[in-house]
Amino acid sequence: MSELSMMVTITTRKHTRKFVQFYEEMNLPVSVITLGTGTASSEILDYFGLDGSEKSVIFHIITDTRWKEVKRQLRLKMSIDIPGIGIAFTVPLSSIGGMKALNYLTAQQDYVKGEESTLKDTKYELLVTIANQGHTELIMDAARKVHAAGGTVIHAKGTGTHLAQKFMGVTLVPEKEMIFIVVRKTQKNAIMKAIMAEAGMQTKAQSLVFSLPVSDLAGLRQLSIDDK
């Protein structure tokens, strides 16, 4: 059995293409890339050899066995331990909505499905929906029908879209939006099903949805009150 994680890579804009090519060579062609800006203090930036320039954030779905090799190659080929190159880390996944989406997001990785999550006592989940740009309201309307709260939208670009025809029988466009929604764990399945039903691959939104365990929560008072 394998564990699944979301791998997050943060690097400077000038290193983005090099990282994308590296991940393709590591048979991790399916990713979502968005932009960010460094916010650390000058002292921290100096300590790590970084600057305050704009960043790129790259998201992949990765198995635990593949991560071990990727981590090793990041050090050997990308010199990621050298200050200023970047950082990569993983966050365990709880679930992915639908077998076709699972096969696509784990394309070219050996994966044997095991239990849903390595964090079994969490009360909350982060739902991540990757969809074509311009369909956020359709996704949020579907989620709200089963009592989801608000979400956060990030504009991004997808890679590996050419594999969608092979694994999902559809053509995907690279322009994407990522919608983040924090929900109670008891709500997760209903909200994921609603999004897949109303904004899934059969619609113009072509949404992929997966969940991440949230170990604790602050700032969403009503969710916390309802769970007491």
Side-chain angles (χ1 to χ4, degrees), residues 74-92:
L74 280 168
R75 289 170 171 165
L76 292 175
K77 293 184 178 181
M78 298 297 293
S79 303
I80 200 167
D81 290 331
I82 296 176
I85 299 298
I87 184 173
F89 59 91
T90 60
V91 181

Side-chain angles (χ1 to χ4, degrees), residues 14-157:
K14 68 178 181 180
H15 288 124
T16 302
R17 185 175 297 276
K18 186 177 180 182
F19 270 92
V20 171
Q21 292 174 346
F22 164 77
Y23 286 131
E24 288 178 348
E25 291 170 1
M26 293 296 298
N27 288 324
L28 293 172
V30 179
S31 69
V32 179
I33 306 170
T34 187
L35 305 178
T37 303
T39 61
S41 67
S42 58
E43 291 83 0
I44 295 295
L45 292 172
D46 291 342
Y47 181 82
F48 286 104
L50 298 170
D51 56 36
S53 64
E54 294 178 323
K55 310 295 181 185
S56 293
V57 185
I58 310 171
F59 300 90
H60 290 85
I61 303 301
I62 192 168
T63 64
D64 52 349
T65 51
R66 181 61 61 86
W67 164 245
K68 292 176 183 178
E69 179 60 19
V70 168
K71 181 180 177 182
R72 190 174 75 90
Q73 294 300 328
L74 280 168
R75 289 170 171 165
L76 292 175
K77 293 184 178 181
M78 298 297 293
S79 303
I80 200 167
D81 290 331
I82 296 176
I85 299 298
I87 184 173
F89 59 91
T90 60
V91 181
L93 251 68
S94 293
S95 56
I96 293 179
M99 186 57 67
K100 288 184 178 180
L102 172 65
N103 291 337
Y104 171 63
L105 291 171
T106 59
Q108 302 182 43
Q109 300 184 62
D110 294 327
Y111 173 67
V112 179
K113 190 175 186 298
E115 294 186 18
E116 270 205 346
S117 174
T118 55
L119 300 179
K120 298 179 172 47
D121 297 325
T122 59
K123 292 183 179 181
Y124 311 104
E125 299 269 341
L126 173 64
L127 298 190
V128 180
T129 302
I130 302 171
N132 293 340
Q133 282 189 10
H135 299 282
T136 301
E137 284 306 311
L138 174 65
I139 294 161
M140 289 308 305
D141 286 345
R144 290 187 188 106
K145 287 179 182 178
V146 280
H147 311 296
T152 299
V153 182
I154 296 175
H155 297 288
K157 184 174 182 178

